Amino acid sequence: MTTRIDTRFAELKKQGRSAFVTFLMAGDPDAATSLEIIKALPKAGADVIEIGMPFTDPMADGPSIQAAGLRALKAGMTLKKTLELVRGFRKDDNTTPIVLMGYYNPIYIYGVDKFLVDAKSAGVDGLIIVDLPPEEDDELCLPAMKAGLNFIRLATPTTDDKRLPAVLANTSGFVYYVSITGITGAAAADSSAVSEAVARIKRHTKLPVCVGFGIRTPEAARAIASHANGAVVGTALVDALRNSLDADGRATGKTVNAVAELTAALAQGVKGAQQAAE
């Protein structure tokens, strides 16, 4: 069974370029603006879209993404509304892959089986659940795969060769390599260390490897994309969104464009990596 994620990476491989993967929080700063922003991303150059599921206790997220989740929750965002957001996006776009990223608790409360049925019918392609280790694959990973969703796993600088096969065992879609130890948005990614890490992961899997955490500029995106199958940017986009809001944290006329313009600049960086590699 081929997902939109598999199809997109196969297309990019033919074009000889890396994917640009964007991350934004569902419902930030409000549901309507969030949908408008997400609809603008593919035109601006996003190849894969990760959407955060807001949660009250996001332990892997840095201050920017935590604040985005709190803005979304304050504006009334729920997991059900996150799936509605995906459904709204799918009305006009049936090809861009959508990955939901977040924590297990909201899915557990929603009900795993119901969530998988609803996510699939809404048009979700994959899940990244940061607090479910491979030992818990029966909880969500295996049911998700049965439902036709990719379950995308995180590998980190501390994932050694002994641990890697367990991490990769039921992974599909792509592997998300976290380039730094710590929370999102903390430090800059080091492209030479990333290059070695990606090569090491590729010895264990044929899946595309995308690299995230610590990529904020088109130059950094280009450097990472030249070593990996994709570059993931979240914090920088969330910061651009936040900086466009009014004093009360509400969307302004600049909000959608602020995110779309930075997306376009970063996408050019990623696309520039292919030219550098040729």
Side-chain angles (χ1 to χ4, degrees):
M1 191 217 62
T2 307
T3 64
R4 288 184 189 92
I5 297 171
D6 302 326
T7 304
R8 179 56 50 98
F9 278 103
E11 285 163 3
L12 293 172
K13 193 174 180 178
K14 275 195 196 120
Q15 293 168 28
R17 74 172 182 87
S18 294
F20 176 42
V21 185
T22 57
F23 170 92
L24 285 158
M25 186 63 69
D28 178 24
D30 62 77
T33 308
S34 186
L35 178 58
E36 256 185 275
I37 292 169
I38 287 163
K39 281 183 169 178
L41 294 174
K43 287 192 271 298
D47 297 304
V48 178
I49 298 172
E50 289 179 6
I51 299 175
M53 299 178 279
F55 178 50
T56 46
D57 188 22
M59 60 192 175
D61 295 324
S64 294
I65 291 174
Q66 281 199 21
L70 291 174
R71 281 193 299 272
L73 290 168
K74 196 173 146 199
M77 205 57 184
T78 61
L79 189 48
K80 189 164 185 268
K81 287 181 183 168
T82 300
L83 296 177
E84 280 165 23
L85 183 76
V86 177
R87 202 170 267 120
F89 174 84
R90 283 282 172 238
K91 283 184 184 145
D92 307 313
D93 185 321
N94 200 34
T95 55
T96 305
I98 296 258
V99 175
L100 293 185
M101 184 169 189
Y103 300 84
Y104 182 46
N105 182 279
I107 294 170
Y108 178 76
I109 290 167
Y110 192 99
V112 168
D113 296 341
K114 183 178 183 335
F115 170 75
L116 292 172
V117 169
D118 292 355
K120 183 75 179 155
S121 76
V124 173
D125 304 293
L127 302 173
I128 299 174
I129 308 300
V130 295
D131 55 350
L132 273 186
E135 288 72 18
E136 309 290 340
D137 274 356
D138 291 346
E139 289 283 326
L140 182 64
C141 171
L142 298 175
M145 287 164 69
K146 277 203 191 83
L149 295 169
N150 289 132
F151 200 84
I152 296 148
R153 210 54 95 195
L154 302 178
T156 71
T158 58
T159 312
D160 61 18
D161 281 324
K162 279 216 303 273
R163 178 70 178 156
L164 207 47
V167 169
L168 297 171
N170 294 312
T171 299
S172 61
F174 62 91
V175 179
Y176 187 135
Y177 179 68
V178 177
S179 64
I180 50 176
T181 45
I183 52 173
T184 57
D190 169 359
S191 63
S192 64
V194 163
S195 166
E196 280 172 37
V198 170
R200 186 166 71 82
I201 295 166
K202 283 190 169 294
R203 289 199 286 274
H204 293 266
T205 182
K206 291 185 167 62
L207 289 172
V209 180
C210 296
V211 176
F213 285 49
I215 305 170
R216 303 186 68 94
T217 63
E219 295 72 32
R222 174 180 292 147
I224 294 298
S226 65
H227 298 298
N229 303 108
V232 188
V233 179
T235 300
L237 294 171
V238 170
D239 285 347
L241 186 159
R242 186 197 63 212
N243 293 338
S244 74
L245 303 177
D246 69 14
D248 298 316
R250 285 194 293 259
T252 65
K254 295 191 212 120
T255 300
V256 176
N257 270 351
V259 180
E261 279 165 21
L262 180 56
T263 300
L266 289 158
Q268 283 310 112
V270 172
K271 286 170 186 158
Q274 168 210 7
Q275 285 117 34
E278 274 164 15

